[in-house]
Amino acid sequence: MKRIILPIAIIALLASCGSKDTKSVEQKETGTALTLDINAFKWTREPASCVIKGDTIEVVTAEKTDLWQRTYYHFQNDNAPVFQMETAEKYFSFIVKTDFTESHHRFDQCGIVMYLDSENWLKGSVEYENEEFQHLGSVVTNNGYSDWATTAIPADVKQMWYRLSRREDDFCIECSTDGENFTQMRVCHMYKATDKVQFGIYACSPEESSFKAVFTDLQLTDCAWKAHDGQQPD
């Protein structure tokens, strides 16, 4: 696969959808077993439609669906379809490949998510903007207030891998254009992630739009985000 090189300026689903598979991985950080079980995935709001073809999840968004809480815009949107599994495991990484070739309207988006409740969640995605560029970014929402960290990428980027890693109540979101070399997007703390968390995929169209988002290559692995080896805690 051809690697995408960005200019220096911008570097700075299926309880009701079809066949199901189960994948297991040894969780070396704690010595426990972690299982990616599609049977355990549940919808928090179902999409307009979804189809499973083998290991491919196709989600069609409904218009005016989104996840956002208060900050700057002051409105609260909490109606995007979210498809997740739950675990109490404190150390893991979840990977998914997204294809958003059909996104075409401002803010069309799909990606990785950890949705705890309406006021505590995080997501990583590419949001369509126009025919020239789109926003690769992440949103972290703690206690009812969202932030949005973004960088502009070319509009012809139509696939992106994401990796969400957990180390207790801290999290790392990474992205990749080839599924092998991941780049850090965000390190964050989630105040409500003290025990069980839910994580998975989402897709939405905040304005008057609808598009098909495609998810493949779902993986659950031991934590790829290694312990910090620099300054020690106070």
Side-chain angles (χ1 to χ4, degrees), residues 5 10 16 19 71 151 157 213:
I5 300 176
I10 64 175
S16 61
S19 60
T71 305
T151 188
V157 177

Side-chain angles (χ1 to χ4, degrees), residues 34-144:
L34 197 58
T35 302
L36 180 63
D37 182 0
I38 296 302
N39 292 283
F41 276 64
K42 297 180 180 180
W43 285 107
T44 301
R45 298 172 297 266
E46 295 191 19
S49 69
C50 106
V51 175
I52 277 294
K53 298 177 180 178
D55 62 353
T56 300
I57 308 166
E58 298 181 353
V59 174
V60 177
T61 63
E63 65 179 33
K64 297 183 179 180
T65 51
D66 195 9
L67 292 175
W68 183 264
Q69 286 289 353
R70 295 182 177 87
T71 305
Y72 178 58
Y73 308 108
H74 304 299
F75 56 66
Q76 296 175 262
N77 289 336
D78 186 42
N79 61 351
V82 172
F83 193 62
Q84 302 185 118
M85 65 168 287
E86 181 179 78
T87 184
E89 178 56 52
K90 301 289 185 167
Y91 301 91
F92 68 85
S93 290
F94 171 63
I95 302 167
V96 64
K97 178 186 177 183
T98 62
D99 187 303
F100 38 97
T101 301
E102 295 189 11
S103 66
H104 61 278
H105 189 86
R106 190 173 66 160
F107 305 142
D108 282 350
Q109 61 191 265
C110 64
I112 203 164
V113 68
M114 186 186 76
Y115 185 91
L116 304 180
D117 57 44
S118 64
E119 296 196 336
N120 297 275
W121 47 265
L122 60 79
K123 65 179 182 179
S125 65
V126 172
E127 297 191 15
Y128 184 90
E129 185 66 28
N130 54 47
E131 294 182 356
E132 295 181 358
F133 73 93
Q134 51 196 343
H135 287 114
L136 169 65
S138 60
V139 175
V140 175
T141 300
N142 274 304
N143 299 323

